[in-house]
Amino acid sequence: MADYSKEEIKRIEGKWRTIWDQRGDYRVSNDSPKPKYYVLDMFPYPSGAGLHVGHPLGYIASDIVSRYKRLKGFNVLHPMGFDAFGLPAEQYAIQTGQHPRVTTEKNISTYRSQLSNLGFSYDWSRKVDTSDPSYYKWTQWIFMQLFNSWYNRAGVSDLNHGKAEPIATLIAHFEKHGNQGIQAYCDEPAVVFSAKEWQSFTAVQREDILQRYRIAYLAETMVNWCAALGTVLSNDEVKDGVSERGGYPVERLKMLQWNMRISAYAERLLSGLDTIDWPEPVREMQKNWIGKSVGCELDFPLLTENASDDQLAVRVFTTRIDTIYGVTFMVIAPEHELVEKITTKDQRAAVTSYVEIAKNRSERERMSEVKRISGVFTGAYVKNPFNGEKVPVWVADYVLAGYGTGAVMAVPCSDTRDYAFAKHFDLPVIPVLEGPHADITKENFEPKSGKMINSDFLNGLLWNDAIEKAAERVETMKIGVRRVNYRMRDAIFGRQRYWGEPFPVYFKDGIPTLVNESDLPVTLPEIDAYKPTETGEPPLGRAKDWNYNGYTYELTTMPGWAGSSWYWFRYMDPQNDKEFCGKSAQKYWRDVDLYIGGSEHATGHLLYSRFWCKALKDLGYVDAEEPFLKLINQGHIQGVSKLAYRINGTNTFVSYNLRKEYEVTPIHVDISIVNGDVLDIERFKAWRDDLRDSEFKLEAGQYICGSEVEKMSKRYYNVVNPDDIVSSYGADTLRMYEMFLGPLEISKPWNTHGIDGVYKFLRRFWNLFHDAQGVFRVSEEMATQQELKVLHKTLKKVAHDIEQFSFNTSVSEFMICSNELNSMKCNKRVILEPLVIALAPFAPHLGEELWQLLGHTTPLLDATFPIYDESYLKENAFEYPISINGKVRAKMNFALDMPREDIEKVVLASEAVQKWTEGKAPKKIIVVPGRIVNVVI
RNA sequence: GCCCGGGUGGUGAAAUUGGUAGACACGCAGGACUUAAAAUCCUGUGGAUAGUAAUAUCUGUGCGGGUUCGACUCCCGCCCCGGGCACCA
């Protein structure tokens, strides 16, 4: 007796997991004549809460694709691992003294067992763990390569391209020519030096210069310091002036920090987006983050009575050089170096106090006061180089020191911020554009519109032609150059934390120096507590006897994104202890064909990974310019929280529809003690001690809870554990149900209501193979045309849907197929066997069991996905809807190869059409073969 | 404010990309089996009107207009929801 019952499911699924494991079905070889296909999931951070039903959504999809591609004859790499360094384990360590390694290992093993319950086809022998020394050895090694390189822009026509090269080539150049003739992407060097000077520099001075060129470098930078977390955060970890994790306040501080010169790659990161198949929103986000703007940089010479100052000029960056005749004032950032120098005596007091206030205002305050206009006149004037007009210079904090030159030429007639500023301080506005949308005072204002006026040689031109012409003039006048600016800043690469990769760096006479490659990895030392030292050093400052030949190590650790910026390479060759990824593995797998994960990583992980991939390519270690060819963002499964309403100041709860009559505070109730919307009052009282004496105001004898859709989280008591679903329905049902829920990319709340439908389908499918007594039985008869048609229609749709990543419709397709076969009472092997193969990517356990019952001894994954045959789908006739004036009024059958004219004749002569046309000849008749016949009267 | 997505039954959603809107599933209603319930199976199910009925007609994809023989799909204007960016010159 084998009904597809709960017990039977448990038996089947357990059995196959064991067999897969023992037989090694999912081991992947790097040496195969088959074409490769690499399917990657964004690896999880193993949190203490374990997996909830939302996590596997993307993993299920990628597993379906992996299994499908294997059946299609590809050698598929489908690995899984853990992004194991991170803050929660460390916070937990600070509170409990428990070593983060211990917590992390425990969490990893929970995750692994939860994942294997779902029947994923991962090759676990390729598991990576970013916190394992054998892994982070190579993270450190990559850091060393980046430290030892610079970005050369020479020899490339487009200045913004170029590539990373070993630092030795730069030093060789310095020795011969100083830093002249170098086209490097670097911090503006304060000095230009000759070869002679270079040779005269001390080691410290030389290193100081090299740091300006290295791709991984140490520099004094403004950082986002989060005192509560005791660490710096990158820009993408700060949201609205508070930390993304925990929501603690963040302030701007200047600190000596490790950085990554990602800005050197801005142009390649941008143009590379056109070569990869990624969702539009992610590409947009990366484009915005990179923030390219093309314009001009030019000098406005300072006008002053003081003769010694006449060298000074204010350099501005503008994308709208065409509007230069509309400049009526100039604004520089409070932090601008010229503020000191140019402010006149009369204005000094006002300027100093303004600058003081602006500097002390935190980023957060500055953001929240975006709309407030403030600024102060410096007393200084510059000369507009185009028309010689005298232009007053103001200081205002709406101009940012960190972007462009920290100074703007204000054109109030075409820029809304400049306009607001001009209005507020009563500065003049000169219109330079004329057209229906060119008036800034009007609602329909459009800055890029109209024709130039009041602009001398530009008059009459369109704005974009004027930009071109004005830019030419700037260059011929030698007052400036065309320039491209990027909003993207270099990435901070250091944390004042314990649980991260140590830097392979020590300090020798104040010079940051790399350890020998043979001394990698630099392992995390044991320390007695995981918090900063009393003197404010990072936790690693507590380590005893931790040094490199007597020299002190760098005490910060690498940020969370270090380990995840190259992990897909490690999966290709995970055991290699000579290289981070061997050449031959690299050649075979090359890049990721399909990457599935959440869009929250759009400007973090996904950008850093592209950056490292490009840098490694420049240095000759990898072949791929882009790591992830196709990206899919799976949506998030949200939780449905249940709420009870407590009357303020009492222990009485009112039912949902009565809550408006009282002052109430909603509290989250554990969803396991709510049935539908009805609260189980006894279990509620037993749930928490403080609720034992609760009283209730009921409606219709029941307590009804409210609901809210929010993030699935322990904190809201709305977590659904996949293990629970697996134990009552089985992994196959859960897998199919999660796919059935809707399109992969869409976020949706979890509800278990529909899961029965999927379970019933699987049971019915199972029953096709079993007789009324539950004994396995298939017929060896030939299939009928009709049965073959059902089979091939299903195969065609399912294959097509999987390739389109439209898994919800493929599940529906299987249901339709099974319903049809059921009503035909078809139990023929020739029909059922191909369906088992096609269904197996979705329901691998069930598939494998039926495959075995059908008499196969080899793994199902070695089978071939059945090829559908169009000829079975061909109809010789088609039932045409006959529409009259757009409305379907009749249906008629015609052979598919029947000529249009003949169809027209028959349709016109038909009774149905005669009735509607009342005998009159129609205006027009349109026959779309295989679709519709439309009669227009 | 700017840039992306998206609005289809009671619910989750389909729609071969301009060709019978609502497939498939949940829920609901009715029926069969059963002493009864659960489970299972069958039937119906966007709305309105007419009819004992089979059925027929109208209406219907956020709102208003347009293109077309034909629009959920394309174009213009508006409303609402979700996501991202936010003084970037």
Side-chain angles (χ1 to χ4, degrees):
Chain A
M1 285 300 264
D3 186 23
Y4 194 65
S5 63
K6 193 169 166 177
E7 290 70 35
E8 183 68 0
I9 293 168
K10 208 162 253 172
R11 184 189 69 77
I12 295 169
E13 296 194 346
K15 167 183 158 189
W16 284 103
R17 269 174 226 141
T18 313
I19 295 177
W20 289 332
D21 218 30
Q22 287 169 353
R23 207 161 59 179
D25 285 9
Y26 301 135
R27 286 281 167 80
V28 184
S29 163
N30 282 2
D31 183 24
S32 163
K34 292 180 186 173
K36 70 99 183 182
Y37 195 83
Y38 187 174
V39 187
L40 183 66
D41 291 300
M42 286 186 187
F43 64 165
Y45 171 78
S47 86
L51 288 180
H52 63 64
V53 286
H55 292 117
L57 185 71
Y59 304 157
I60 295 168
S62 66
D63 196 57
I64 291 169
V65 175
S66 302
R67 289 172 180 273
Y68 170 79
K69 283 285 177 183
R70 260 191 79 167
L71 293 168
K72 278 285 198 182
F74 289 85
N75 186 30
V76 177
L77 179 55
H78 185 219
M80 181 45 83
F82 299 95
D83 190 12
F85 278 132
L87 255 78
E90 179 153 351
Q91 298 285 46
Y92 189 73
I94 292 170
Q95 285 156 24
T96 62
Q98 172 99 274
H99 195 293
R101 168 94 257 161
V102 176
T103 343
T104 303
E105 266 167 14
K106 200 181 104 216
N107 294 346
I108 286 181
S109 87
T110 311
Y111 265 63
R112 223 187 120 158
S113 84
Q114 281 187 300
L115 287 170
S116 52
N117 276 343
L118 293 168
F120 292 131
S121 59
Y122 297 131
D123 179 354
W124 280 113
S125 73
R126 292 177 184 253
K127 180 192 100 163
V128 304
D129 167 355
T130 56
S131 69
D132 190 311
S134 69
Y135 179 89
Y136 70 67
K137 168 181 178 176
W138 297 109
T139 311
Q140 291 171 337
W141 180 86
I142 292 169
F143 170 84
M144 289 169 67
Q145 310 314 307
L146 297 172
F147 179 87
N148 271 335
S149 42
W150 62 293
Y151 199 85
N152 189 356
R153 312 199 305 195
V156 188
S157 56
D158 182 344
L159 279 187
N160 297 298
H161 278 73
K163 67 197 265 287
E165 283 182 21
I167 197 83
T169 62
L170 184 71
I171 295 172
H173 186 100
F174 285 171
E175 279 166 356
K176 275 202 191 128
H177 316 287
N179 66 349
Q180 284 142 47
I182 276 279
Q183 290 198 26
Y185 199 99
C186 61
D187 299 348
E188 291 298 322
V191 284
V192 176
F193 56 85
S194 65
K196 221 177 203 157
E197 285 169 307
W198 171 258
Q199 279 146 24
S200 72
F201 289 154
T202 64
V204 174
Q205 283 172 316
R206 285 184 187 181
E207 184 53 38
D208 199 51
I209 288 164
L210 288 174
Q211 288 289 338
R212 294 166 183 275
Y213 291 84
R214 295 185 190 276
I215 291 188
Y217 65 99
L218 206 49
E220 279 263 308
T221 39
M222 289 297 267
V223 297
N224 304 301
W225 171 254
C226 179
L229 293 171
T231 191
V232 301
L233 298 170
S234 66
N235 286 334
D236 58 288
E237 287 169 313
V238 182
K239 293 260 141 74
D240 302 324
V242 297
S243 66
E244 195 180 29
R245 190 182 283 277
Y248 303 109
V250 172
E251 53 185 328
R252 305 278 293 164
L253 274 182
K254 221 168 199 188
M255 270 177 114
L256 193 65
Q257 280 290 330
W258 283 100
N259 294 271
M260 284 284 168
R261 206 175 298 283
I262 189 172
S263 56
Y265 283 85
E267 187 60 36
R268 275 166 71 186
L269 288 168
L270 186 67
S271 57
L273 288 172
D274 295 334
T275 67
I276 48 186
D277 183 5
W278 282 21
E280 202 45 44
V282 176
R283 289 173 27 177
E284 272 307 308
M285 276 190 251
Q286 292 209 347
K287 269 184 203 164
N288 287 339
W289 191 262
I290 295 165
K292 179 180 184 173
S293 52
V294 181
C296 274
E297 207 172 272
L298 73 158
D299 286 339
F300 280 60
L302 201 70
L303 292 173
T304 168
E305 293 82 55
N306 189 341
S308 69
D309 284 352
D310 65 8
Q311 305 286 347
L312 285 179
V314 180
R315 177 165 297 182
V316 300
F317 174 72
T318 179
T319 56
R320 294 299 304 274
I321 189 67
D322 57 320
T323 62
I324 189 152
Y325 289 95
V327 174
T328 55
F329 58 103
M330 168 132 329
V331 185
I332 62 179
E335 296 90 343
H336 199 283
E337 54 177 14
L338 284 178
V339 172
E340 269 296 290
K341 293 184 190 159
I342 66 173
T343 302
T344 57
K345 252 190 217 129
D346 311 346
Q347 292 298 103
R348 186 157 298 273
V351 169
T352 312
S353 86
Y354 180 78
V355 169
E356 220 31 61
I357 292 167
K359 271 186 185 163
N360 288 334
R361 277 208 291 170
S362 70
E363 194 81 342
R364 178 150 207 203
E365 286 167 321
R366 252 168 107 152
M367 283 205 199
S368 61
E369 290 174 16
V370 162
K371 292 282 165 278
R372 214 178 77 183
I373 296 162
S374 70
V376 58
F377 179 45
T378 60
Y381 291 87
V382 290
K383 189 177 90 176
N384 184 331
F386 273 54
N387 59 8
E389 290 288 324
K390 195 174 165 191
V391 178
V393 181
W394 287 64
V395 179
D397 67 1
Y398 83 89
V399 173
L400 305 174
Y403 185 78
T405 60
V408 303
M409 53 176 233
V411 185
C413 72
S414 83
D415 183 291
T416 48
R417 293 153 304 171
D418 295 346
Y419 179 73
F421 195 84
K423 279 283 143 209
H424 190 263
F425 291 105
D426 206 19
L427 295 158
V429 179
I430 303 171
V432 290
L433 281 158
E434 191 180 52
H437 302 286
D439 185 349
I440 195 159
T441 60
K442 296 269 169 61
E443 271 286 293
N444 65 358
F445 170 68
E446 174 49 67
K448 290 180 174 175
S449 72
K451 285 188 173 170
M452 307 304 304
I453 53 166
N454 297 331
S455 297
D456 193 16
F457 71 104
L458 299 173
N459 282 337
L461 293 173
L462 292 171
W463 64 271
N464 47 348
D465 297 333
I467 286 180
E468 192 47 40
K469 205 158 176 194
E472 272 167 32
R473 177 71 63 96
V474 166
E475 289 187 324
T476 54
M477 286 168 76
K478 296 209 184 327
I479 51 169
V481 289
R482 286 169 205 257
R483 203 180 150 98
V484 176
N485 260 314
Y486 300 92
R487 195 179 327 188
M488 183 170 65
R489 303 269 76 92
D490 281 349
I492 290 161
F493 195 72
R495 293 296 139 87
Q496 288 64 25
R497 287 267 147 186
Y498 174 74
W499 192 230
E501 299 87 348
F503 281 85
V505 170
Y506 63 94
F507 287 88
K508 187 176 176 182
D509 310 322
I511 299 173
T513 313
L514 295 178
V515 305
N516 274 327
E517 219 174 288
S518 57
D519 292 322
L520 289 181
V522 176
T523 52
L524 270 174
E526 296 302 318
I527 55 177
D528 52 4
Y530 302 97
K531 49 185 188 233
T533 66
E534 284 70 25
T535 55
E537 281 184 326
L540 285 181
R542 295 173 176 273
K544 296 191 177 63
D545 303 322
W546 191 58
N547 58 60
Y548 189 73
N549 302 329
Y551 297 110
T552 57
Y553 275 120
E554 166 66 44
L555 295 181
T556 58
T557 53
M558 298 188 198
W561 55 272
S564 60
S565 295
W566 70 281
Y567 74 110
W568 69 95
F569 285 124
R570 191 62 182 169
Y571 285 135
M572 297 174 185
D573 195 8
Q575 262 84 45
N576 195 330
D577 58 0
K578 303 280 185 299
E579 291 169 275
F580 76 102
C581 177
K583 273 272 176 230
S584 63
Q586 174 68 238
K587 252 208 155 50
Y588 181 66
W589 295 110
R590 188 184 154 93
D591 42 26
V592 175
D593 295 282
L594 174 65
Y595 196 21
I596 298 186
S599 61
E600 66 273 21
H601 298 106
T603 51
H605 162 64
L606 288 170
L607 201 57
Y608 298 135
S609 295
R610 295 180 62 218
F611 160 45
W612 277 30
C613 183
K614 287 170 195 295
L616 289 169
K617 189 199 176 203
D618 289 349
L619 299 172
Y621 296 114
V622 308
D623 286 334
E625 170 78 13
E626 288 288 342
F628 316 124
L629 300 183
K630 175 157 182 77
L631 176 72
I632 292 184
N633 292 131
Q634 95 274 14
H636 291 272
I637 291 192
Q638 294 135 316
V640 180
S641 308
K642 292 295 172 186
L643 303 166
Y645 303 90
R646 193 206 307 255
I647 301 176
N648 292 350
T650 71
N651 59 358
T652 302
F653 290 84
V654 286
S655 190
Y656 178 73
N657 293 304
L658 307 171
R659 72 190 192 288
K660 296 236 166 86
E661 296 163 28
Y662 305 88
E663 293 269 302
V664 294
T665 308
I667 69 159
H668 280 86
V669 178
D670 196 312
I671 52 165
S672 66
I673 58 174
V674 180
N675 188 2
D677 287 328
V678 181
L679 181 69
D680 184 329
I681 289 174
E682 288 316 308
R683 291 180 61 196
F684 180 74
K685 285 182 178 175
W687 179 41
R688 273 177 11 197
D689 279 353
D690 58 314
L691 301 173
R692 195 177 308 148
D693 303 320
S694 304
E695 299 191 12
F696 301 88
K697 288 198 189 297
L698 308 177
E699 52 182 307
Q702 291 180 322
Y703 189 94
I704 307 295
C705 293
S707 339
E708 191 162 344
V709 173
E710 51 198 345
K711 211 179 130 192
M712 206 174 265
S713 160
K714 257 185 172 173
R715 160 163 63 124
Y716 303 132
Y717 305 106
N718 62 0
V719 175
V720 181
N721 188 327
D723 299 351
D724 297 340
I725 310 284
V726 168
S727 73
S728 43
Y729 288 97
D732 287 341
T733 301
L734 176 62
R735 288 166 63 108
M736 289 199 91
Y737 182 58
E738 290 215 11
M739 292 300 99
F740 184 67
L741 229 38
L744 183 60
E745 298 90 336
I746 304 291
S747 290
K748 53 231 157 197
W750 175 261
N751 72 55
T752 320
H753 289 314
I755 199 167
D756 272 326
V758 171
Y759 169 66
K760 279 184 212 165
F761 153 71
L762 284 177
R763 193 176 53 200
R764 260 180 277 185
F765 187 78
W766 172 266
N767 287 339
L768 286 173
F769 296 76
H770 294 81
D771 64 16
Q773 280 69 48
V775 178
F776 175 79
R777 182 160 296 153
V778 290
S779 151
E780 304 295 334
E781 281 172 63
M782 297 280 281
T784 64
Q785 269 304 307
Q786 207 190 359
E787 288 164 342
L788 284 167
K789 192 179 150 190
V790 170
L791 169 68
H792 288 276
K793 187 183 74 186
T794 306
L795 292 176
K796 181 182 177 178
K797 285 221 172 181
V798 168
H800 180 260
D801 286 349
I802 295 176
E803 279 172 24
Q804 302 293 310
F805 309 101
S806 175
F807 305 106
N808 53 332
T809 50
S810 26
V811 175
S812 293
E813 209 48 49
F814 278 120
M815 290 178 173
I816 296 168
C817 170
S818 136
N819 287 344
E820 284 175 356
L821 293 180
N822 228 327
S823 62
M824 290 181 209
K825 304 238 178 307
C826 170
N827 70 336
K828 294 173 185 166
R829 172 188 291 270
V830 282
I831 300 295
L832 296 180
E833 197 168 279
L835 286 173
V836 168
I837 302 173
L839 182 66
F842 294 84
H845 310 86
L846 175 89
E848 199 85 64
E849 180 72 10
L850 290 171
W851 185 245
Q852 194 183 52
L853 287 169
L854 285 164
H856 297 277
T857 51
T858 51
L860 175 50
L861 275 183
D862 293 344
T864 303
F865 194 89
I867 296 165
Y868 67 86
D869 188 338
E870 290 274 7
S871 66
Y872 293 111
L873 303 180
K874 284 220 180 92
E875 308 264 358
N876 39 25
F878 180 78
E879 190 186 42
Y880 284 83
I882 312 298
S883 113
I884 294 162
N885 280 354
K887 288 216 159 56
V888 175
R889 300 297 183 185
K891 282 172 188 175
M892 294 173 81
N893 279 305
F894 295 111
L896 273 168
D897 55 0
M898 187 164 175
R900 282 182 197 211
E901 302 78 55
D902 295 355
I903 295 180
E904 280 177 29
K905 272 179 212 153
V906 179
V907 168
L908 286 180
S910 71
E911 221 175 287
V913 173
Q914 288 294 321
K915 185 182 139 202
W916 283 92
T917 57
E918 291 164 346
K920 277 176 269 171
K923 273 189 202 148
K924 214 196 253 184
I925 179 160
I926 299 142
V927 178
V928 187
R931 296 273 162 117
I932 197 163
V933 179
N934 204 317
V935 182
V936 188
I937 53 176

